[in-house]
Amino acid sequence: MLEILLTGTNLKKHYPVSKGFFSKEKFIVHALDGIDIKIREKETMGLVGESGCGKTTTGRLLIGLIKPTSGSVQFMDKNIFELDKIELTKIRKDMQIIFQDPYASLNPRKTIRNILSRPFIVHEKNQGDLENKILELLDTVGLSPSYRYIDRYPHEFSGGQRQRIVIARALALHPKFVVADEAVSSLDISIKAQILNLMKDLGKKMGTTYLFISHDLSVVRFFCDKVMVMYLGKIVESADVEELFTSPFHPYTKSLLSATPIPNPRTTRSAERIVLSGEIPSSINLPKGCRFNTRCSLVHPKCLKEEPVLIKKEKTRMVACHLF
């Protein structure tokens, strides 16, 4: 059994918002509302759910880019929100993020040499032969011959090439934990496959642990070892990837999987399609009881009164539903 690398405990993130520009009345957006996460070394954990459910907020909290309203994150046995600036800088080299948009992730005024040298300048006292390190990074992510690319600017690259540069920057110092936030969603299908294979190969080579945030379930099934399903700031189900895809428990998970395209036409015709009714509730005014009760076809009286707790149902599966 691999050791636990990162633990998020009762993480909450609430944002106060005003009703109007001149209004003093405040509302609370419940972006995250008390989630627990454990990620083991060398594991790839997927995080899926609809837009606005709190996936990106979770990723940014876990690496300390934003602070929680309450809760803690233990990384390598240290609470990252209790570290001073010096300790936090030291631990930063082991926690990185790959952002969704490769076009916005790179400074247009900097060359690739400047961009990829920054991690070494900030975190390594003995920088050694910096140029060779950068050239090696570019070769590693498939941009070769690297000497042709090192002094170019981001606008001279395609989307797939930019994402390779973003990955190179994130993995430059061989971090232990990387958050990949919709890292391939903006790429076309052929480039997407190349980038996923690259991240998978580099992860195995370096022993990297990933939190892979995505709304593309087919990509998650290919890339991840385990999956967590999120709905309105809560984890509703988690399991090993094949268990979840072959036998989902939670009604929301079933609806997500039923909406995933199947390449076999015969299977598609025979597959059950679950169409959710109703609107997604507001994160400001959450429904009482189960948060999914406004859209669930299996709702019963207990669902309207009592919020389900995430409990263990099988060896590797947890689910938050009154039906189980």
Side-chain angles (χ1 to χ4, degrees):
M1 182 69 71
L2 297 173
E3 292 187 5
I4 293 173
L5 177 69
L6 181 143
T7 304
T9 305
N10 195 28
L11 287 173
K12 295 183 180 181
K13 184 61 181 178
H14 299 164
Y15 293 99
V17 294
S18 299
K19 188 175 182 180
F21 188 77
F22 296 104
S23 175
K24 293 183 179 179
E25 190 176 0
K26 296 286 185 180
F27 295 100
I28 300 296
V29 175
H30 298 79
L32 276 188
D33 223 5
I35 66 168
D36 297 318
I37 294 178
K38 288 184 179 180
I39 304 177
R40 297 184 181 277
E41 291 179 338
K42 302 179 183 179
E43 180 178 77
T44 300
M45 176 69 79
L47 183 60
V48 302
E50 294 169 295
S51 296
C53 69
K55 302 188 300 295
T56 294
T57 301
T58 301
R60 296 190 177 201
L61 272 177
L62 291 180
I63 61 170
L65 287 184
I66 56 177
K67 291 188 176 181
T69 304
S70 64
S72 65
V73 174
Q74 296 283 335
F75 179 70
M76 295 168 55
D77 299 323
K78 294 180 180 178
N79 186 343
I80 64 173
F81 299 114
E82 293 179 351
L83 301 177
D84 59 32
K85 288 185 178 180
I86 295 174
E87 291 175 313
L88 190 58
T89 301
K90 288 179 181 178
I91 210 169
R92 276 275 179 236
K93 65 182 295 186
D94 289 317
M95 309 176 79
Q96 294 294 321
I97 185 169
I98 301 170
F99 292 103
Q100 177 177 358
D101 186 1
Y103 293 88
S105 301
L106 302 172
N107 190 332
R109 295 183 176 86
K110 301 289 186 180
T111 65
I112 303 310
R113 182 193 298 271
N114 298 138
I115 290 169
L116 294 184
S117 63
R118 193 63 185 166
F120 300 105
I121 292 170
V122 171
H123 293 288
E124 291 193 352
K125 293 181 180 178
N126 182 18
Q127 293 164 22
D129 191 345
L130 197 53
E131 181 165 339
N132 278 340
K133 288 181 178 180
I134 296 169
L135 291 172
E136 187 180 343
L137 265 179
L138 290 172
D139 285 329
T140 301
V141 296
L143 291 174
S144 57
S146 52
Y147 63 85
R148 292 185 179 178
Y149 299 100
I150 191 170
D151 289 314
R152 293 186 184 181
Y153 288 86
H155 72 269
E156 299 179 74
F157 295 89
S158 67
Q161 289 174 322
R162 292 189 197 200
Q163 197 66 309
R164 289 173 185 266
I165 294 165
V166 172
I167 291 169
R169 181 177 59 184
L171 300 179
L173 300 174
H174 294 197
K176 295 182 183 297
F177 179 60
V178 174
V179 174
D181 185 6
E182 301 279 10
V184 295
S185 64
S186 62
L187 306 177
D188 62 54
I189 191 67
S190 60
I191 301 299
K192 184 181 293 188
Q194 292 176 23
I195 297 297
L196 286 170
N197 284 320
L198 172 66
M199 290 174 62
K200 206 167 191 177
D201 292 342
L202 291 177
K204 288 180 180 178
K205 181 180 176 182
M206 299 177 181
T208 307
T209 300
Y210 287 108
L211 175 69
F212 189 79
I213 299 170
S214 181
H215 62 271
D216 190 333
L217 296 179
S218 58
V219 168
V220 169
R221 187 172 191 174
F222 167 76
F223 191 76
C224 299
D225 304 314
K226 295 183 178 179
V227 189
M228 296 181 296
V229 181
M230 179 173 277
Y231 184 77
L232 278 181
K234 286 278 192 179
I235 303 294
V236 296
E237 186 169 2
S238 67
D240 285 344
V241 65
E242 285 305 319
E243 283 185 0
L244 186 126
F245 276 83
T246 54
S247 59
F249 277 16
H250 199 281
Y252 178 63
T253 308
K254 292 178 181 179
S255 68
L256 283 181
L257 294 178
S258 76
T260 305
I262 302 171
N264 187 330
R266 292 180 180 177
T267 307
T268 302
R269 283 192 291 268
S270 61
E272 180 188 4
R273 182 69 186 270
I274 302 172
V275 180
L276 296 178
S277 60
E279 296 292 329
I280 301 174
S282 167
S283 296
I284 294 175
N285 186 23
L286 294 169
K288 293 181 180 178
C290 175
R291 299 182 180 204
F292 190 56
N293 67 39
T294 59
R295 306 171 75 193
C296 183
S297 60
L298 303 175
V299 65
H300 58 82
K302 189 176 182 181
C303 303
L304 303 174
K305 299 176 183 178
E306 185 179 331
E307 185 171 8
V309 179
L310 193 67
I311 56 175
K312 193 169 185 177
K313 300 305 291 185
E314 292 179 354
K315 187 176 180 181
T316 60
R317 188 193 299 267
M318 299 186 76
V319 63
C321 181
H322 292 308
L323 299 175
F324 298 96

